[in-house]
């Protein structure tokens, strides 16, 4: 039952993101779109939803690193920020784990991972 619920939530988020991708697509050929980035982060969902001291998996960190490397323009990073904020609100994430992700995965980003971040700054 729990697995079916997670699959259902992921499916609903993905459908919403398909709609978002048409309005917030990548602005350059090498940039990554919301539609491309979101499924890459699926390995991070267990860590982001956990309430214990769990660590992100190697697959999660690899995906996060890949997205950071591919989001090369300021506008693309803003679009992805909005995309992930909306997706996060739909799956119930642990904000503390979200904030810890860059440090635990040893990636550098120019903005804090916070559900309340202003994506336009």
């Amino acid at each position: 039952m729990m697995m079916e619920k997670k699959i259902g939530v992921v499916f609903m988020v993905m459908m919403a993101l398909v709609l978002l991708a048409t309005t917030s697509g990548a602005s350059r050929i090498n940039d990554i779109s919301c539609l491309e980035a979101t499924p890459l982060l699926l390995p991070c969902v267990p860590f982001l939803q956990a309430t214990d001291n769990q660590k992100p998996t190697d697959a999660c960190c690899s995906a996060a690193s890949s997205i950071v490397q591919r989001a090369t323009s300021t506008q693309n990073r803003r679009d992805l920020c909005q995309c992930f904020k909306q997706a996060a609100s739909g799956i119930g994430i642990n904000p503390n784990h979200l904030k810890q992700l860059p440090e635990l995965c040893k990636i550098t980003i120019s903005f804090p991972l916070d559900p309340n971040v202003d994506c336009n700054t």
Side-chain angles (χ1 to χ4, degrees), residues 57-75:
T57 63
D58 290 343
C60 170
C61 290
S62 176
S65 177
S66 174
I67 291 168
V68 168
Q69 289 173 5
R70 291 185 58 195
T72 57
S73 72
T74 300
Q75 186 59 50

Side-chain angles (χ1 to χ4, degrees), residues 40-41 44 47-48 56-71 77 80 84 97-113:
L40 290 176
L41 286 178
C44 295
F47 168 72
L48 293 173
T57 63
D58 290 343
C60 170
C61 290
S62 176
S65 177
S66 174
I67 291 168
V68 168
Q69 289 173 5
R70 291 185 58 195
R77 288 187 292 273
L80 288 174
F84 294 148
H97 281 196
L98 179 64
K99 291 173 187 176
Q100 293 171 355
L101 188 66
E103 181 182 343
L104 293 174
C105 288
K106 297 177 178 54
I107 55 176
T108 303
I109 58 173
S110 59
F111 55 90
L113 288 184

Side-chain angles (χ1 to χ4, degrees), residues 14-56:
M14 292 305 297
M15 292 307 293
L17 293 175
V18 168
L19 296 173
L20 284 173
T22 61
T23 59
S24 64
S27 58
R28 297 183 181 188
I29 220 151
N30 292 329
D31 281 348
I32 186 167
S33 72
C34 178
L35 184 61
E36 293 172 298
T38 304
L40 290 176
L41 286 178
L42 287 177
C44 295
V45 171
F47 168 72
L48 293 173
Q49 290 181 324
T51 56
D52 58 5
N53 291 330
Q54 188 175 2
K55 301 288 184 213

